[in-house]
Amino acid sequence: MHWSDEIAQRIIAKRPDKEEYVCAAGISPSGSIHIGNFRDIATSYFVCKALERAGKKARLLFSWDELDRLRKVPKNVAAVTEGFEQYIGKAYVDVPNPFGEEGTYAEYFEKEFLESIKAFHIDMDFKYQAEMYRSGKYKEHIITALDKRAEIFDILDSFRTQDAEEGEKERYYPTSIYCPECGKDTTTITAYDDETKVAEYTCQCGHHGTFDFKTEHNCKLAWKVDWAMRWLYEGVDFEPGGKDHASPGGSYDTSKVIAKKIFGIDAPEFQGYEFIGIKGVAGKMSGSSGLNMTPETLLQFYQPEVILWLYSKSEPTKAFDFCFDDGILRQYFEFDKQYNEYKAGTASEFVQTVIENCINETTDIKTVPMSLLAQLGSIVDFNVPMMETVFEKINQPFKFEDFEQRLNLAKNWLEKCAPDQANTLRATRDWDLYESLDDDQKKELEMLHDYIKTQEYDLDTLNAQLYAIPKKIYGEDREDIKKLQREFFKIVYKLLIAKEKGPRLYLFLYAIDKERYLNLLDFSTPKTEAELNPVVEEEVEAKPERVYGDPDPVKPIEDEITIDDFFKVDLRVCKIIKCQEIRKAHRNYKITVNDGLKERVIVSSIKEEYEPEELIGKKIIVVANLKPARLTGVQSEGMLVAATNNACGCKVIFVDDMVPEGTRIC
């Protein structure tokens, strides 16, 4: 059973006779809406669909929390305007559009997000909290909260670890007032009349005034009270939240008690969710081009159905990554497999639900392999007629209407995320490489050139010839013939695309017009002007080389231990899956490894020594049974083994890649 169906069953069991169930989600338009926030919508959306599968009516309620205050100026806003800090403390709906367009700050980021999610075809009932509050719709509930402010304080205080200060309870009010003079919520209620419902307040701007909660509505309840109040007002049956809200004693636990004791309702069914990760070069892409990790950004590389599929197949409590490296190709492969099973009627119940969550009645996905599009597209510069020709040559006669959906996605991924993987033919012959070859290797190239130039062949005969050429030169009985064949292939790749490996060589040579590359294999004519005077590319500024000192004095050997003592330390081979920076951590990385049994996180202070790409995929030794500890805000489940010396800094001990994960060091 899919996780959304399990949640739907719990919702129905609580209120079996309800006519329409309400699944809620909400986002504050504090800036460009990040992909992590989208999990809030996706989770509620899938539960709505599960309720409908159960024969119930359901509505997805989405709240724009635009009456929240501007807390800080986002980087993309600071980059286009100066002095925007003056608006901190104002409601997003009252802050001007920083990009010089009509409308407000809230409207700009709301519109940006709404435009980007049109592709997902998610039907939502939008509520704008500034309008809800300022129209007086919440008036009675706000007054209820004020009347029961002492009880609310006691509830909040029960979840705190520190004792309340003297007089704090008497000074507490569960709502803030927006000042009519400066427009900010920097006000303090100094008195409140329980009979008239009129408050006296002062503002940091110097304004003093009164506020009648019966007739004035430019105020907002504190978050945990506001959440419980809206559950009551909207009749919410389900709402998810990030793992910070879901933690013991967090927002949900607190609001749940407020909902029951203050507003007299049971809290809705709740599901905490893990945050979303980014794998690959996304950080560099964002930093250099100004791209934010929004749905709009993802849609440059992912089909909307594949994005929804990633959310649907992953339980909310499980983290997953959006990949900007090769991982995206594996994700497309897995999606295509499950989608094709669904279309063929062979999918399991779980897979069937996963796919149904991602599609609508008009969805028709052509599962042309994304990896093939990226691989072949780069060969022919994504020229559509050439792509069709290439596909026909390799007996996969896809037409433009088949790969139209994914062509630009593959092109975008190659150009923006994986330019090093593009298979681009060299502009000139590589004379330096050719002149370094011995006579036999040069003869191999001559035979290959003559064969391709003069012979008729199909895929099979070309493939056979590529393996036969080294045999003709060195003899079939050579013990190292396979090594010599690999070396031959490597030389051809270097001469054609300046890389040691690429797509399958026979496919590569067969797919593209031989007139485009034959000259790169022919060294029988003199060097051209371009080859005599090559253009030297500007070198990228190298990272400053770290200077090390003299070796540390060699320390005496520690006290002897027994073999039993040694075996108490569980040293395991682990493979590094991810390496991520930690916010505000200058020296530490968050490293995710596979220990053969599961994934675990290790925090290590090696940031000054390594870039993440130098670590990902490497195998290391980890102290697997070290007691977990919280370091720079992250739970660390072990310690990697490294050598530290003044002469070399901190160097990680890497293990040969052939050693399986989980192997014990002894």
Side-chain angles (χ1 to χ4, degrees), residues 14 55 83 185 189 243-244 287 300 350 377 391 406 412 419 421 445 458 474 498-499 513 584 605 616 624 665:
K14 279 185 177 180
D185 68 345
I189 295 176
K243 63 180 182 180
D244 49 347
Q300 295 181 45
F350 178 80
F391 277 124
R406 291 181 173 178
N412 286 342
Q421 298 196 30
L445 291 177
D458 57 22
Y474 301 104
K499 295 191 291 188
D513 184 356
K584 294 184 179 181
S605 57
I616 295 171
I665 303 296

Side-chain angles (χ1 to χ4, degrees), residues 153-165:
F153 180 89
D154 288 339
I155 294 169
L156 297 173
D157 192 51
S158 69
F159 286 94
R160 299 197 307 183
T161 56
Q162 295 179 331
D163 293 334
E165 297 177 3

Side-chain angles (χ1 to χ4, degrees), residues 49 105 133 399 423:
K49 298 195 80 168
Y105 184 101
Y133 267 97
K399 297 299 181 183
N423 300 309

Side-chain angles (χ1 to χ4, degrees), residues 174-198:
T175 186
S176 57
I177 297 168
Y178 278 101
C179 176
E181 292 295 319
C182 68
K184 299 182 179 182
D185 68 345
T186 52
T187 57
T188 301
I189 295 176
T190 56
Y192 177 74
D193 189 318
D194 289 298
E195 294 297 325
T196 64
K197 314 303 179 188
V198 174

Side-chain angles (χ1 to χ4, degrees), residues 374-397:
Q375 189 179 92
L376 299 183
S378 70
I379 299 172
V380 298
D381 301 322
F382 291 92
N383 179 284
V384 170
M386 286 291 290
M387 293 281 289
E388 291 181 333
T389 301
V390 168
F391 277 124
E392 190 171 343
K393 280 187 175 183
I394 61 174
N395 296 320
Q396 297 199 50

Side-chain angles (χ1 to χ4, degrees), residues 453-639:
K453 184 177 181 178
T454 62
Q455 301 298 313
E456 295 293 329
Y457 49 81
D458 57 22
L459 269 174
D460 291 335
T461 55
L462 175 59
N463 191 33
Q465 182 66 17
L466 287 170
Y467 283 96
I469 286 174
K471 292 181 180 179
K472 292 176 183 178
I473 299 293
Y474 301 104
E476 292 192 23
D477 297 332
R478 284 278 297 256
E479 290 185 2
D480 59 347
I481 191 63
K482 289 186 178 180
K483 178 182 177 182
L484 292 167
Q485 288 170 330
R486 288 195 298 270
E487 188 63 28
F488 170 54
F489 282 29
K490 187 186 296 185
I491 291 168
V492 177
Y493 280 126
K494 285 181 177 180
L495 290 172
L496 296 180
I497 58 176
K499 295 191 291 188
E500 291 191 350
K501 58 183 178 180
R504 292 180 181 178
L505 189 56
Y506 76 99
L507 180 59
F508 183 82
L509 296 175
Y510 191 80
I512 56 179
D513 184 356
K514 61 185 178 183
E515 297 304 322
R516 294 184 63 205
Y517 66 81
L518 262 175
N519 66 303
L520 298 175
L521 300 174
D522 181 10
F523 291 85
S524 64
T525 59
K527 293 181 181 180
T528 64
E529 182 64 27
E531 291 167 343
L532 288 168
N533 300 289
V535 176
V536 179
E537 294 185 5
E538 273 188 48
E539 290 189 11
V540 178
E541 186 176 343
K543 184 178 178 180
E545 186 175 348
R546 187 169 176 185
V547 178
Y548 299 103
D550 296 327
D552 294 329
V554 178
K555 294 181 179 180
I557 302 297
E558 297 288 346
D559 294 340
E560 288 184 352
I561 62 172
T562 66
I563 192 67
D564 292 335
D565 292 331
F566 173 76
F567 279 118
K568 288 179 181 177
V569 181
D570 193 336
L571 299 172
R572 297 286 177 114
V573 174
C574 299
K575 184 174 183 178
I576 298 176
I577 301 169
K578 288 187 288 186
C579 179
Q580 301 164 292
E581 298 207 18
I582 301 173
R583 186 170 176 265
K584 294 184 179 181
H586 300 296
R587 301 178 62 231
N588 290 351
Y589 278 138
K590 175 185 175 184
I591 299 172
T592 304
V593 300
N594 184 336
D595 65 10
L597 299 172
K598 64 180 181 67
E599 290 185 8
R600 65 168 68 205
V601 170
I602 293 169
V603 176
S604 183
S605 57
I606 56 173
K607 192 173 180 180
E608 295 178 353
E609 299 288 345
Y610 298 93
E611 296 294 330
E613 53 267 28
E614 296 179 82
L615 298 169
I616 295 171
K618 296 289 181 67
K619 291 187 177 178
I620 60 174
I621 300 171
V622 169
V623 181
N625 61 338
L626 188 67
K627 185 177 180 180
R630 197 160 186 83
L631 305 173
T632 54
V634 177
Q635 188 82 347
S636 181
E637 304 168 293
M639 179 175 68

Side-chain angles (χ1 to χ4, degrees), residues 430-438 441-442:
D430 188 344
W431 280 93
D432 288 341
L433 174 59
Y434 179 76
E435 290 169 352
S436 72
L437 303 178
D438 61 33
Q441 291 170 323
K442 289 178 180 178

